[in-house]
């Protein structure tokens, strides 16, 4: 079924105000897509009472970082960490099922790699979204969650404005691009998350120069992409480290992303949580695949040999100033080690400066209190938020739980297992509710 048809049917299926679904999922990226698949497979098991659900997505169709689908960029996790395999290795929604359905399975096998390109993984996610045929209200934004005695009311704006009523809410609003303080997004200064669209709409380039701010994987990918796509332009990479740091993807370090590591982390002390995050930040944050680091170094060195420089890596440095001019951006790069200053007139500045999690207070209002509760963690082990007052149903988080559940909070690595845990939790709570209703009759 096409996504347009899904949206049309959703309007008919869940438009009635008197219906209360078991789950409303806010956001329909990979996390809630994994949840939809887990629900679909659970509901298909004979004897299970079906759990009803609908999802709300602000984008007009399923998308996963479309402006960062750079040619040749590969995933940093194994294809086995897809939406389902670690939960159900026999699932029809696995990456291998997608390859088989696409007629590319033997060709992928011949590549002899665990790491598909980002473009192909996006194809897999879109294929799974279409295949699962979930109720999704695309082009619609959830703005508020209102607590009622026996349900939540979610207020919607956009193509399907109105409300949805549900017994449980699963928040997977994703991440919001973060720009440095004082920087306003413009046609010539923008976050890497919007790279391809902004480059396509870039005003006339007269300086043949770009500046990329950031030391992580995305920053290195952007620098490499700009160097390849604009063969007449200089590319200046600026970051505070002395050089790019390799991502730690060694087998033992990667155990931090195992499902069982979530149990270990959740049950540990605040001191150990902080220590583990510090020890293993290099597996995910401000780190770059070694092969890409080596590629960039080879480019820079070859240009030194040829005496024609286009790639400049400014380590130990910061962007001291970026002033927009009618024809570009006047940039001052300051080396924080030597004090040397370099002035550059650039056509654009790309900020690969990370993301922030969904603002829970904006959508939950007084149900959410930012400080952790004094009587325990702010999120339970089954990813349920401890709200400021008891609620009939649960508010579950897919993301924004790094402080309680570890580094897999916003990553693909644990989607399959986390989805099952949330579904099992909701199923158990619904069974309890049904028993209580029977006893009250």
């Amino acid at each position: 079924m096409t996504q347009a048809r899904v949206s049309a049917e959703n309007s008919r299926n869940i438009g009635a105000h008197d219906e209360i679904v078991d789950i409303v999922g806010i956001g329909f990226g990979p996390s809630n897509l994994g949840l939809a698949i887990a629900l679909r497979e659970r509901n298909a098991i004979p004897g299970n009472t079906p759990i009803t659900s609908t999802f709300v997505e602000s984008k007009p169709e399923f998308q996963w970082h479309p402006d960062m689908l750079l040619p040749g960029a590969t995933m940093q996790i194994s294809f086995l960490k897809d939406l389902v395999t670690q939960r159900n290795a026999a699932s029809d929604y696995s990456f291998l099922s997608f390859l088989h359905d696409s007629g590319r399975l033997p060709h992928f096998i011949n590549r002899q790699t665990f790491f598909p390109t980002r473009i192909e993984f996006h194809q897999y996610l879109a294929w799974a979204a279409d295949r699962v045929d979930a109720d999704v209200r695309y082009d619609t934004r959830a703005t508020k969650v209102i607590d009622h005695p026996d349900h939540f009311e979610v207020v919607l704006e956009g193509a399907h404005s109105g409300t949805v009523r549900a017994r449980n809410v699963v928040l997977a609003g994703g991440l919001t691009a973060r720009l440095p303080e004082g920087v306003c997004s413009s046609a010539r200064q923008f976050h890497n998350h919007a790279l391809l669209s902004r480059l396509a709409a870039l005003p006339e380039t007269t300086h043949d120069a770009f500046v990329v701010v950031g030391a992580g994987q995305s920053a290195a990918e952007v620098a490499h992409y700009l160097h390849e796509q604009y063969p007449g332009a200089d590319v200046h990479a600026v970051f505070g480290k002395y050089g790019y740091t390799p991502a730690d993807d060694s087998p033992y370090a990667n155990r931090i992303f195992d499902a069982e590591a979530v149990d270990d982390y959740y049950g540990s002390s605040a001191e150990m949580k902080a220590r583990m995050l510090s020890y293993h930040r290099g597996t995910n944050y401000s780190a770059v695949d070694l092969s890409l680091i080596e590629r960039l170094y080879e480019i820079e060195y070859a240009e030194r040999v040829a005496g024609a420089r286009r790639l400049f890596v400014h380590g130990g440095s910061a962007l001291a100033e970026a002033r927009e001019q009618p024809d570009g951006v006047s940039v001052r790069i300051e080396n924080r080690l030597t004090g040397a200053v370099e002035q550059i007139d650039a056509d654009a500045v790309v900020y690969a400066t990370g993301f922030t999690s969904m603002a829970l207070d904006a959508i939950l209002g007084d149900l959410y209190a930012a400080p952790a509760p004094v009587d325990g963690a702010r999120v339970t082990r089954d990813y349920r938020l401890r709200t400021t007052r008891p609620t009939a149903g649960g508010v579950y988080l897919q993301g924004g739980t790094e402080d309680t559940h570890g580094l897999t909070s916003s990553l693909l690595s644990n989607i399959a297992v986390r989805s099952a845990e949330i579904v099992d939790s909701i199923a158990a709570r619904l069974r309890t509710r049904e028993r209580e209703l029977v006893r009250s009759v």
Side-chain angles (χ1 to χ4, degrees):
M1 181 180 290
T2 66
Q3 291 164 339
R5 185 179 164 198
V6 169
S7 292
E9 291 206 356
N10 291 343
S11 182
R12 295 193 298 271
N13 292 344
I14 58 178
H17 288 284
D18 58 349
E19 181 179 359
I20 300 179
V21 295
D22 294 319
I23 299 171
V24 60
I26 297 177
F28 198 66
S31 291
N32 269 349
L33 172 55
L35 181 73
I37 294 170
L39 286 168
R40 175 75 66 184
E41 293 186 336
R42 181 197 177 278
N43 288 347
I45 297 174
N48 279 347
T49 302
I51 296 176
T52 58
S53 62
T54 191
F55 297 88
V56 179
E57 172 54 51
S58 61
K59 297 182 181 67
E61 60 184 5
F62 183 88
Q63 295 178 339
W64 179 65
H65 305 309
D67 282 316
M68 280 300 292
L69 298 178
L70 307 183
T74 59
M75 299 294 295
Q76 293 178 279
I77 63 169
S78 165
F79 69 84
L80 294 172
K81 292 186 176 182
D82 58 17
L83 298 171
V84 295
T85 297
Q86 294 187 97
R87 172 181 59 81
N88 175 15
S91 173
D92 291 335
Y93 296 88
S94 69
F95 182 77
L96 290 179
S97 293
F98 157 72
L99 289 175
H100 183 271
D101 193 57
S102 304
R104 293 201 299 267
L105 181 56
H107 306 296
F108 184 86
I109 292 172
N110 290 338
R111 292 184 66 226
Q112 300 183 36
T113 179
F114 279 98
F115 306 104
T117 65
R118 199 172 295 158
I119 290 174
E120 185 171 37
F121 203 78
H122 182 274
Q123 292 174 352
Y124 157 65
L125 295 174
W127 169 87
D130 193 62
R131 186 182 183 93
V132 74
D133 194 22
D135 286 330
V136 186
R137 290 188 174 188
Y138 286 106
D139 205 17
T140 302
R141 184 179 300 275
T143 61
K144 184 185 298 185
V145 174
I146 302 170
D147 178 34
H148 292 282
D150 63 344
H151 70 277
F152 296 104
E153 180 182 7
V154 181
V155 180
L156 309 178
E157 293 181 356
H160 303 278
S161 60
T163 61
V164 176
R165 302 199 300 168
R167 296 182 180 88
N168 299 277
V169 175
V170 181
L171 295 171
L175 302 172
T176 302
R178 181 178 65 234
L179 291 171
E181 186 176 354
V183 174
C184 295
S185 182
S186 71
R188 294 190 182 275
Q189 294 192 80
F190 47 86
H191 195 273
N192 72 281
H193 193 245
L195 180 72
L196 295 180
S197 294
R198 292 301 186 92
L199 288 178
L202 191 66
E204 183 181 4
T205 56
T206 58
H207 302 294
D208 290 329
F210 293 91
V211 174
V212 182
V213 180
Q217 178 72 19
S218 293
E221 287 177 354
V222 169
H224 184 255
Y225 177 77
L226 292 172
H227 187 272
E228 284 196 332
Q229 295 299 311
Y230 295 85
D234 294 344
V235 178
H236 297 265
V238 182
F239 48 81
K241 293 182 176 183
Y242 201 78
Y244 290 114
T245 302
D248 185 355
D249 61 352
S250 56
Y252 287 112
N254 266 345
R255 283 181 171 178
I256 199 70
F257 301 116
D258 290 352
E260 65 184 25
V262 176
D263 281 328
D264 295 339
Y265 185 90
Y266 188 87
S268 65
S269 65
E271 178 187 358
M272 282 305 300
K273 285 184 172 71
R275 190 177 297 178
M276 287 298 107
L277 287 178
S278 176
Y279 284 156
H280 295 290
R281 287 189 68 82
T283 59
N284 183 52
Y285 292 111
S286 194
V288 182
D289 284 344
L290 181 58
S291 60
L292 180 55
I293 295 175
E294 292 172 339
R295 176 61 183 146
L296 289 171
Y297 194 88
E298 283 300 312
I299 291 171
E300 191 180 29
Y301 184 75
E303 291 178 352
R304 289 180 186 272
V305 172
R309 297 288 303 280
R310 288 203 304 117
L311 177 62
F312 301 86
V313 178
H314 303 266
S317 300
L319 201 66
E321 185 181 40
R323 289 185 295 109
E324 292 218 21
Q325 306 289 352
D327 62 346
V329 185
S330 179
V331 172
R332 192 171 83 247
I333 300 172
E334 180 180 316
N335 187 310
R336 295 294 171 84
L337 297 170
T338 66
V341 174
E342 187 169 352
Q343 194 77 31
I344 296 167
D345 290 325
D347 293 304
V349 180
V350 183
Y351 297 91
T353 46
F355 299 85
T356 56
S357 297
M358 182 181 188
L360 297 180
D361 54 345
I363 193 167
L364 294 178
D366 63 358
L367 278 176
Y368 174 72
V374 294
D375 59 341
R378 67 183 186 91
V379 183
T380 60
R381 175 59 186 83
D382 57 1
Y383 299 95
R384 186 165 46 87
L385 178 70
R386 294 185 190 273
T387 50
T388 55
R389 59 180 178 272
T391 57
V395 176
Y396 293 81
L397 303 183
Q398 296 235 53
T401 59
E402 187 174 280
D403 60 323
T404 55
H405 291 71
L407 283 166
T408 61
S409 170
S410 60
L411 305 179
L412 295 169
S413 298
N414 202 33
I415 284 178
V417 175
R418 182 173 67 225
S419 296
E421 291 175 343
I422 292 175
V423 168
D424 288 346
S425 174
I426 290 174
R429 290 170 65 85
L430 290 173
R431 286 194 298 269
T432 299
R433 178 178 179 276
E434 289 171 357
R435 287 195 295 268
E436 291 174 348
L437 288 174
V438 168
R439 285 198 296 267
S440 66
V441 173

